Amino acid sequence: DQQVKQNSPSLSVQEGRISILNCDYTNSMFDYFLWYKKYPAEGPTFLISISSIKDKNEDGRFTVFLNKSAKHLSLHIVPSQPGDSAVYFCAASGNNFNKFYFGSGTKLNVKP
Amino acid sequence: GAGVSQSPSNKVTEKGKDVELRCDPISGHTALYWYRQSLGQGLEFLIYFQGNSAPDKSGLPSDRFSAERTGGSVSTLTIQRTQQEDSAVYLCASSPSPRDPAAFGPGTRLTVL
């Protein structure tokens, strides 16, 4: 039973526009969330995180929003660039941090 | 600085053989994780090591899977009597502490024929 879900397997966006990647979770005990980016043949690289005490965290072009009541988070990339084309995974953990649950990923394609 | 390294990068084996996958975490990182990613799937947690504490093995899919971490550094994931469903990319990650985001290695692609 997947506790973290990314329901969009792919997303295509024009360069310069906003990319919005969505993630839903089922476990109300999750209180720490991360986004990773993965290029082919490489391991995932950390992008941005948010803890449950916040509803927004921003780092440059990347912003993560957390809606605890809806058990939903989203990653916004503005403006999108062709180099952002990759697979994006969201992950969630409880307060013991010993295990992160990952979604199945969303493949983002930013068209020049 | 050096990141997480894994070896081999690719491994092809026959069904029923044993395989060992190696992970060299970033020096000084106390937390070490193993995940695997099957085709079209997300990352599946396998095992977690933190310092000298007993590892969290709750993600290991069967008793054919085992892992150890020697001296708090290098880790080896062993799969005995491999099956075709074990084919996946096995990813190792480490972090300075559990609260820090983990850095992943490039993975080992295992193919069981």
Side-chain angles (χ1 to χ4, degrees), chain A residues 13 63 67 88:
Chain A
V13 170
T63 303
N67 183 333
Y88 289 79

Side-chain angles (χ1 to χ4, degrees), chain A residues 36 43-44 89 97-100 103, chain B residues 33 35 42 48 56 58 99 102 105:
Chain A
Y36 280 84
F89 291 97
F97 299 98
N98 64 333
K99 183 186 302 182
F100 283 86
Chain B
Y33 307 80
Y35 286 83
Y48 163 72
D56 178 348
S58 60
R99 291 195 71 91

Side-chain angles (χ1 to χ4, degrees), chain B residues 4-80:
Chain B
V4 178
S5 61
Q6 294 185 244
S7 60
S9 55
N10 278 284
K11 177 71 177 178
V12 181
T13 190
E14 292 179 347
K15 178 182 171 181
K17 302 279 189 182
D18 297 351
V19 295
E20 279 191 357
L21 313 179
R22 178 187 168 105
C23 170
D24 282 90
I26 294 172
S27 178
H29 281 196
T30 61
L32 186 146
Y33 307 80
W34 282 97
Y35 286 83
R36 73 175 176 182
Q37 185 181 17
S38 303
L39 194 62
Q41 303 295 312
L43 279 68
E44 176 190 2
F45 168 79
L46 296 177
I47 189 168
Y48 163 72
F49 296 90
Q50 170 54 39
N52 296 321
S53 303
D56 178 348
K57 304 180 182 180
S58 60
L60 295 178
S62 78
D63 58 8
R64 295 186 296 104
F65 288 73
S66 62
E68 61 178 23
R69 188 178 186 192
T70 53
S73 181
V74 171
S75 177
T76 303
L77 177 69
T78 302
I79 309 173
Q80 295 179 310

Side-chain angles (χ1 to χ4, degrees), chain A residues 21-25 65-74:
Chain A
L21 298 103
N22 293 303
C23 180
D24 297 290
Y25 61 96
F65 295 92
L66 175 63
N67 183 333
K68 291 184 290 292
S69 60
K71 295 191 183 69
H72 177 84
L73 64 155
S74 61

Side-chain angles (χ1 to χ4, degrees), chain A residues 5-7 20-24 35 72-75 90 106:
Chain A
K5 296 180 182 178
Q6 294 176 257
N7 293 317
I20 300 176
L21 298 103
N22 293 303
C23 180
D24 297 290
W35 284 93
H72 177 84
L73 64 155
S74 61
L75 175 68
C90 66
T106 297

